[in-house]
Amino acid sequence: MRTQVAIVGAGPSGLLLGQLLHKAGIDAVIVERQSPDYVLGRIRAGVLEQVTMDVLDEAGVGTRMHAEGLLHGGFDLLFKGQRHRIDMAKLTGGKQVMVYGQTEVTRDLMDARQAAGLPTVYEAAHVAVHDYGTDHPRVTYEKDGQTHTIECDFIAGCDGFHGVCRASVPKGAIKEFEKVYPFGWLGLLADTPPVHHELIYAHSTRGFALASQRSLTRSRYYLQVPLTDQVEQWSDQAFWDELKRRLDPQAAEHLVTGPSLEKSIAPLRSFVTEPLRFGRMFLAGDAGHIVPPTGAKGLNLAATDVKYLANALIEFYLDKSEAGVDAYSEKCLKRIWRAERFSWWFTSLMHHFPENGEIGQKFQEAELDYLIHSENGARTIAENYVGLPLDFGQ
Ligand code: APR
Ligand code: PHB
C-alpha cells in the first residue's frame, strides 16, 4: 500500500490529523493497535480551549460539540473551606472554554472519518516504523496473520505515550525530560447532575479534589490518592464520602451521588521529548509530551501540535516548501513548554504534599490567597487556563 502520510495511532491526535489532511486533499492511512471500542473506552479530560474548538471546526467535526458542549466562563478555586470564582471571561476579554469530553471528540472524528470513507486499520499488531531518515519511510504491521507494508512520504507518530514511534528513535538522538508526581488521580464518572454549574478545583489538607462534568446530567469527579492505592480499595461509597470531606459544606450538601459508570486511577507525570521531528517522522500529542491533568491541557496541546503539523505538511505538498516541516519541532515545543509549566505549577499549587510539611501547606494557602485577591494574580491563572492563541509569540 502507498500513501502520502502514514499516521500511527487513532486517538484524537491521529484522527484529527487525518481529517485536516483530508480537507487539504492529502492522503493518509491510519494504523491503530486497538479496536474502535477500546479507543472510545478511555475516559480522559474534557475541557477545550478556544483554539481547540477552532481546529475541530476547521476539521468539520464541530457541530455536535457546539450543540452539546457547555461553555464555561469561569471556575471555582476552593481552599481553607471557601470557594472563590476565577472569572475567566472577564479577566481575559471574553474568552471561554468548552466542557465536552475527549470521548465525544474522538467519536465525532471517527464518525467523520468513516463517513468520508478514509482508511483506518484497527487491531494492527507489531506496528513498526522504518527508514524515516530517508525519503522513503515505511510502516509495517501484522493483521490476519499477514505482514503489510505502507510506503509513504512521512510518518506521523500519534501513538501516545506508550507508542512505537518515539521508542524507535536511537537514544542518542532524543532527549527526554520527566517528572513523576508522588500521587495519582482517582476518577469517577456518574450519571448524576454536577454539584456545581462550573468546575471546582479544591485544595485541602486531605488532598486535592476536582468536581468536573460531562453534561448537565453526567459528572466527573477526581480525588488525589497515594500511588500505592488500588482502585479496588475504593468503593463508590468511600469515594463519595471522601469527596464530601474535601468540598466546602455547601457543595458537600448539594452533591448528588450514584453508582459509578467508570472508576480508575491515573498517575501524574510531566514529560517532554526534544526534538519532535526525526527526518521524515514527527511526534504529535501524547507521543511527544504528557502533562499532569490539572488544568486539562493534554488534549489541547495535542490539537495544536496536529494543527501545526497539518499546516507544515500542506505547505510541503501545496507550496513545495519545507519551511514548515523544518520549523515544526521548535514551534510546537515553545507552546508545549508553556503549557507544561502551567500544568506543573497548578498541580503544585493545588495538591497536598505531606513531604513539604505544615509550612508547605501555609505557603500554598498564602499563594492562593494572593492569587484570588490580586486581579493580576487571578488573570495569570485565567490567561493560562483559556490557553494561548495559535500564533502566540511567532
Ligand atoms: N501501533 C499503533 N497504534 C498505537 C501503538 C502502536 N504501537 N501504540 C499506541 N497506539 C495507539 C493507542 O492505542 C491510542 O489509540 O495510539 C493512540 C494514541 O492515542 P492517545 O493516547 O489518546 O494520544 P493522543 O491521540 O496523542 O491524544 C492525546 O490523550 O492522554 C490524553 O491528555 C491527553 O487528551 C490528550 C490526548
Ligand atoms: C475532566 O473533566 O476530566 C477534567 C477537567 C478539568 C481538569 C482535568 C480533568 O483540569
Side-chain angles (χ1 to χ4, degrees):
M1 193 184 339
R2 157 130 204 116
T3 190
Q4 290 173 299
V5 183
I7 301 174
V8 184
S13 298
L15 289 167
L16 180 59
L17 180 63
Q19 204 60 26
L20 292 173
L21 293 179
H22 170 63
K23 294 263 159 196
I26 298 170
D27 287 337
V29 174
I30 305 186
V31 185
E32 163 63 50
R33 178 162 65 181
Q34 307 286 358
S35 67
D37 284 348
Y38 184 97
V39 172
L40 285 174
R42 290 187 297 232
I43 313 274
R44 277 146 173 196
V47 179
L48 310 181
E49 297 173 7
Q50 183 64 53
V51 165
T52 305
M53 295 183 239
D54 293 347
V55 178
L56 292 171
D57 279 336
E58 188 187 329
V61 295
T63 312
R64 199 162 66 96
M65 169 186 75
H66 288 295
E68 295 177 18
L70 303 168
L71 281 170
H72 284 197
F75 58 86
D76 280 359
L77 289 180
L78 161 59
F79 63 100
K80 285 170 85 177
Q82 284 202 325
R83 268 194 269 156
H84 308 267
R85 184 165 189 266
I86 299 291
D87 191 336
M88 252 171 351
K90 192 166 136 216
L91 291 160
T92 63
K95 291 198 184 126
Q96 293 181 298
V97 294
M98 175 78 84
V99 172
Y100 188 63
Q102 177 169 323
T103 311
E104 304 313 316
V105 172
T106 309
R107 197 190 305 276
D108 294 342
L109 285 162
M110 273 183 180
D111 289 351
R113 189 163 181 85
Q114 200 175 9
L118 301 171
T120 313
V121 182
Y122 282 100
E123 295 174 282
H126 306 295
V127 176
V129 291
H130 313 269
D131 301 336
Y132 48 81
T134 75
D135 288 351
H136 303 284
R138 286 176 300 124
V139 174
T140 55
Y141 63 93
E142 284 173 29
K143 173 117 185 161
D144 304 326
Q146 287 196 323
T147 302
H148 302 262
T149 301
I150 305 172
E151 290 171 3
C152 56
D153 301 328
F154 295 100
I155 297 172
C158 299
D159 48 350
F161 184 64
H162 300 287
V164 69
C165 293
R166 189 182 75 249
S168 75
V169 177
K171 284 281 163 266
I174 191 167
K175 186 160 170 55
E176 297 182 347
F177 301 83
E178 182 169 45
K179 178 180 173 64
V180 178
Y181 297 82
F183 41 73
W185 274 21
L186 169 66
L188 181 146
L189 187 71
D191 271 333
T192 55
V195 67
H196 185 57
H197 68 282
E198 292 178 341
L199 272 59
I200 306 174
Y201 288 85
H203 171 84
S204 89
T205 51
R206 301 188 65 90
F208 171 77
L210 171 61
S212 184
Q213 53 192 259
R214 291 289 175 271
S215 68
L216 297 176
T217 56
R218 183 168 284 190
S219 313
R220 179 72 168 161
Y221 297 105
Y222 296 96
L223 295 175
Q224 173 186 352
V225 294
L227 275 176
T228 45
D229 277 18
Q230 304 290 318
V231 70
E232 298 75 34
Q233 287 167 248
W234 283 89
S235 65
D236 288 0
Q237 192 58 49
F239 185 99
W240 294 120
D241 289 347
E242 183 58 26
L243 180 62
K244 280 185 190 168
R245 289 187 203 108
R246 296 186 191 187
L247 292 174
D248 57 292
Q250 199 201 358
E253 199 183 311
H254 279 96
L255 182 72
V256 181
T257 65
S260 62
L261 301 170
E262 193 264 1
K263 208 162 40 183
S264 54
I265 296 182
L268 271 70
R269 186 191 305 274
S270 297
F271 174 85
V272 182
T273 294
E274 290 189 355
L276 295 169
R277 177 204 177 182
F278 306 90
R280 286 190 165 232
M281 180 172 79
F282 306 91
L283 303 180
D286 278 15
H289 46 80
I290 298 285
V291 286
T294 333
K297 291 292 169 211
L299 178 57
N300 293 295
L301 273 186
T304 45
D305 286 359
V306 163
K307 169 68 179 153
Y308 290 151
L309 183 52
N311 282 358
L313 292 170
I314 291 166
E315 232 177 285
F316 178 89
Y317 285 111
L318 274 54
D319 306 338
K320 310 275 178 261
S321 162
E322 296 200 18
V325 163
D326 289 341
Y328 170 73
S329 184
E330 201 182 327
K331 195 168 174 162
C332 279
L333 283 165
K334 203 167 163 183
R335 202 166 197 287
I336 290 163
W337 278 115
R338 289 278 288 261
E340 289 278 349
R341 187 214 63 86
F342 172 67
S343 306
W344 157 77
W345 170 79
F346 201 28
T347 301
S348 310
L349 179 70
M350 298 305 295
H351 288 72
H352 184 55
F353 293 82
E355 62 276 25
N356 292 346
E358 280 177 321
I359 192 166
Q361 170 71 22
K362 289 285 185 191
F363 287 153
Q364 285 175 311
E365 286 173 4
E367 186 168 1
L368 281 161
D369 198 48
Y370 160 67
L371 288 167
I372 56 123
H373 286 109
S374 151
E375 192 170 321
N376 289 336
R379 182 168 292 121
T380 295
I381 301 189
E383 226 168 49
N384 282 282
Y385 198 92
V386 300
L388 296 167
L390 204 54
D391 57 354
F392 99 99
Q394 306 296 330

